[in-house]
Amino acid sequence: MSMRATLGSHPAKSSQQGAALVVGLVLLLVMTVLGVSGMNTATLELVMAGNAEAQQDAFQAAETGIDAAIAERNWNTLGPVTVTRTITTDISAQATTTNTACTVYPDTAFSAGVTGGVGAYHFDAISVGEGPRGAQSTHTQSFYVAGPAC
C-alpha cells in the first residue's frame, strides 16, 4: 500500500462523536444547581441563627426587667409602678409591678403590737423584653411582701 493511500483514508465516523461534551455539560449543570442550593441553604440557616439570637436577647432582657423591678423595691399598693431598662441600643426591657391582692393573717406574736395581724401583699411583675429585629419576650413573676394588715 502506498503512502498516499494511507494518508487519504479516514476511519469511519463514530455515532458518539461529541457525547463527552454533552455529558460534561450535564454534570457541570448538576454541580452548579447543587452549589446554588447549598448557598441558599446556608443563607437561610444564617438568618435562622440570627433570629434565634434576637429571641434569646429579648428573653434575657425580660428577665433583666423582672430582676430590676424586684430589686428596686418600689412597690405601690395604690397603682402600678413601671421600670424601664435600656441594655444596649437595640435591647431594652420594661417591667410593670402591680398589687393584685392583700391577705390578712391574724397574728399577735409577730405583729409588733399592731392590731389586725400581718398583711401579705401579692404583686405581679410583668416584663416585656425587646431585642433586635423586633423580637419580644414577656415574663411574669409573682411575689409576696409582708407588711401591716391591709
Side-chain angles (χ1 to χ4, degrees):
M1 195 189 265
S2 72
M3 192 70 159
R4 190 171 200 192
T6 306
L7 288 176
S9 66
H10 296 289
K13 291 191 174 189
S14 170
S15 63
Q16 294 184 9
Q17 190 174 5
L21 177 64
V22 173
V23 170
L25 287 174
V26 168
L27 287 176
L28 185 62
L29 177 67
V30 168
M31 289 175 30
T32 302
V33 168
L34 287 174
V36 170
S37 174
M39 286 176 44
N40 286 342
T41 301
T43 303
L44 179 63
E45 287 178 359
L46 186 64
V47 170
M48 288 175 13
N51 288 342
E53 182 182 5
Q55 182 60 36
Q56 189 59 235
D57 288 344
F59 179 91
Q60 295 300 332
E63 288 292 312
T64 300
I66 293 285
D67 290 344
I70 293 174
E72 279 198 8
R73 298 179 182 242
N74 186 16
W75 310 310
N76 190 341
T77 58
L78 301 177
V81 176
T82 301
V83 175
T84 302
R85 289 286 185 267
T86 301
I87 298 156
T88 64
T89 56
D90 57 351
I91 302 173
S92 64
Q94 184 174 15
T96 302
T97 306
T98 307
N99 177 248
T100 58
C102 181
T103 306
V104 177
Y105 295 98
D107 178 47
T108 56
F110 297 105
S111 61
V114 177
T115 59
V118 176
Y121 296 88
H122 179 220
F123 289 91
D124 285 338
I126 300 173
S127 177
V128 177
E130 294 185 7
R133 300 182 184 182
Q136 284 191 342
S137 185
T138 302
H139 296 231
T140 302
Q141 175 73 45
S142 298
F143 59 96
Y144 283 94
V145 176
C150 36

